[in-house]
Amino acid sequence: MGTYSAAHIVWDWNGTLFHDNDAVIGATNAAFAELGLEPITLEQYRAMYCVPVPKFYERLLGRLPSEAEWEVMDETFHRHYAEHRVRCGLAEGAAELLTGWRSAGRSQSILSMYGHEELIPLVRGFGIEAHFIRIDGRTGPSGGSKAEHMVRHLDYLAGETGVDPARTVVIGDAADDALAALHVGARAVLYTGGSHSRASLESAGVPVVDTLHEAVAEAERLAA
């Protein structure tokens, strides 16, 4: 696999490299319909979304969903998301940025809270798998935080390839990405093209950008 001592990027997938906002809103509203909730817009979603996901539903219901309600909504979301995602593509400029970062001799990986078994063929289908030294999706129940997954991801990379958390930058679209980066001693850049509003991202106290080109430029600066 090789040894990498230069700057490393850990990419988020959903809402970052993969521009799936339409699929997320369609699946979210299908899940809401199961409990009789009114559909929401992308703007409303960005303003209210948070993790763990049951807390997001609490903001809309006025209470945490019961275990049975959560199971129904979670299953409905993932079923409808799988149907909608086929019409979604990579974010603007993503393929070129991945190629450029790798061509410069720097490493990158993916850590996603999307299920691992679904993530791998999806990344492979876009022809970008070779750009990454590791691709990890979520294993175990959905709805939680990325922090512990980030620990395992970077522990593996540090041990196998020499990636240094201090020279690692997480690029994602959610405040949880910044928290996960902080948890392992990495830096973060948050991108406004996904699931959170700029205001909610800025509350994380890390750089916030509007394009992936800006995100990569900022990552290069932070990891220098």
Side-chain angles (χ1 to χ4, degrees), residues 178-190:
L179 293 175
L182 179 65
H183 193 65
V184 295
R187 312 292 285 276
V189 178
L190 299 181

Side-chain angles (χ1 to χ4, degrees), residues 17 97 194:
L17 288 176
L97 290 166

Side-chain angles (χ1 to χ4, degrees), residues 172-197:
D173 70 317
D176 191 49
D177 291 300
L179 293 175
L182 179 65
H183 193 65
V184 295
R187 312 292 285 276
V189 178
L190 299 181
Y191 162 63
T192 62
S195 61
H196 280 55
S197 67

Side-chain angles (χ1 to χ4, degrees), residues 91-178:
E92 183 178 356
E96 295 79 10
L97 290 166
L98 295 174
T99 299
W101 189 263
R102 182 187 179 201
S103 297
R106 294 173 292 216
S107 60
Q108 54 199 332
S109 59
I110 292 176
L111 176 62
S112 173
M113 294 300 282
Y114 192 47
H116 186 77
E117 297 304 318
E118 293 80 21
L119 175 66
I120 298 299
L122 189 53
V123 174
R124 189 172 293 150
F126 285 110
I128 59 173
E129 183 181 18
H131 292 312
F132 306 104
I133 61 173
R134 187 164 180 87
I135 301 171
D136 283 327
R138 172 185 49 78
T139 56
S142 62
S145 172
K146 186 177 274 189
E148 292 306 318
H149 297 268
M150 186 69 74
V151 170
R152 290 191 292 272
H153 185 74
L154 280 184
D155 278 353
Y156 176 87
L157 291 178
E160 294 294 321
T161 69
V163 164
D164 180 1
R167 299 200 67 196
T168 295
V169 179
V170 177
I171 297 179
D173 70 317
D176 191 49
D177 291 300

